[in-house]
Amino acid sequence: SSGINAEYGDEILVHINPVYENAAYIKGDYKALFGLQSITDLHSKECETNHSYTFTENCVNWNVTRLYNITADPFEMHDLSKTHTDVLEELKEKILDYFDELEPLQCTLPDIESAFPTEIMHYFLPFDFAGGIIPDWATYAHDPPSFH
């Protein structure tokens, strides 16, 4: 037994970010962090235009870990990752379970046509319409608008 005290629904995938190679998961009293989390540590990483980031075991830096009992230590001052390896491994497995369900992540695209679903990307992707605003039609359109 891992020692995680959790009720049904008392867990959440906080995030998985293949660009920054990090992830976080909370279950019961525990919060696990994998990879660098601080924005100051990640300032040099950027989402590459037209690059597809797939969710595989290699998309997270599992070598950088932190684990906190957020009930007993709400300010996350005491890292338990070295002493509670079973809990850390269980929460890592929870994150890995999500990978089969996730579509690849793709960043802002250079043209409108690239934002529409393809055989690889089955959903609408963000397109930077002069400052990151996605117009209402982008969510519902079946064909790209004509700009003649």
Side-chain angles (χ1 to χ4, degrees), residues 5 11 16 21 45 55 64-65 69 88 94 113:
N5 181 17
E11 60 184 276
I16 303 171
E21 300 174 346
K45 290 187 177 262
F55 291 92
V64 177
T65 61
N69 181 324
L88 195 67
K94 291 281 191 178
E113 285 75 22

Side-chain angles (χ1 to χ4, degrees), residues 52-102:
S52 174
Y53 295 87
T54 56
F55 291 92
T56 65
E57 189 165 0
N58 296 329
C59 79
V60 173
N61 180 354
W62 304 108
N63 296 319
V64 177
T65 61
R66 290 189 303 280
L67 179 70
Y68 301 102
N69 181 324
I70 55 176
T71 303
D73 180 20
F75 297 105
E76 300 177 5
M77 303 295 288
H78 306 287
D79 182 4
L80 304 173
S81 61
K82 303 289 187 258
T83 58
H84 291 66
T85 55
D86 57 335
V87 174
L88 195 67
E89 187 62 30
E90 180 179 339
L91 298 182
K92 174 184 175 181
E93 290 300 320
K94 291 281 191 178
I95 293 170
L96 290 171
D97 287 345
Y98 275 90
F99 289 167
D100 291 337
E101 301 174 30
L102 298 174

Side-chain angles (χ1 to χ4, degrees), residues 19-34:
V19 177
Y20 292 154
E21 300 174 346
N22 62 23
Y25 199 93
I26 294 173
K27 181 174 180 184
D29 297 331
Y30 292 97
K31 177 180 177 181
L33 302 169
F34 299 95

